[in-house]
């Protein structure tokens, strides 16, 4: 995206008189999702390059390939990537937007059926 269009969209939410708040929220969410996918692609590319280069320098069954130093970057960066993914997608991962309403309705229906008349 060019500099002009990027600045146009980045400064879109700063307009105080903009009535379209849903667009602003959707745009920010899209930017967060896009940032996560870029992070994921960089993670895959760099770690696959590291593994291939270490694999080419050693034999697969060699102890160098299975050392902690080889896998520690992948492990800790994976934890960071998981945290990034949960910050982007995690709010609705376990408890969706309607989960609370569904649970309340379920408890009300259960209590209604358990009462004696």
């Amino acid at each position: 995206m060019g500099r002009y269009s990027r600045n146009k969209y980045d400064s879109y939410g700063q307009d105080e008189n903009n009535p379209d708040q849903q667009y602003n929220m959707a745009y920010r969410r899209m930017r967060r999702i896009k940032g996560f996918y870029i992070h994921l692609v960089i993670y895959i590319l760099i770690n696959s390059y590291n593994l291939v280069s270490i694999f080419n320098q050693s034999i697969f069954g060699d102890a160098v390939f299975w050392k902690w130093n080889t896998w520690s970057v992948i492990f800790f960066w994976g934890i960071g990537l998981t945290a990034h993914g949960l910050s982007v997608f995690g709010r609705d991962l376990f408890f969706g937007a309607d989960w609370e309403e569904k649970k309340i309705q379920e408890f009300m229906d259960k209590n209604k059926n358990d009462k004696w008349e």
Side-chain angles (χ1 to χ4, degrees), residues 50-65:
N50 285 341
L51 285 178
V52 168
S53 66
I54 291 171
F55 180 73
N56 285 337
Q57 293 173 0
S58 65
I59 302 172
F60 184 68
D62 194 10
V64 173
F65 187 76

Side-chain angles (χ1 to χ4, degrees), residues 20 28 31 33-34 38 49 60 74 78 86 99 102:
D20 197 5
R28 278 187 254 132
R31 293 284 301 223
I33 292 171
K34 183 180 174 183
I38 289 171
Y49 174 77
F60 184 68
I74 295 171
L86 287 175
W99 181 83
K102 288 178 185 176

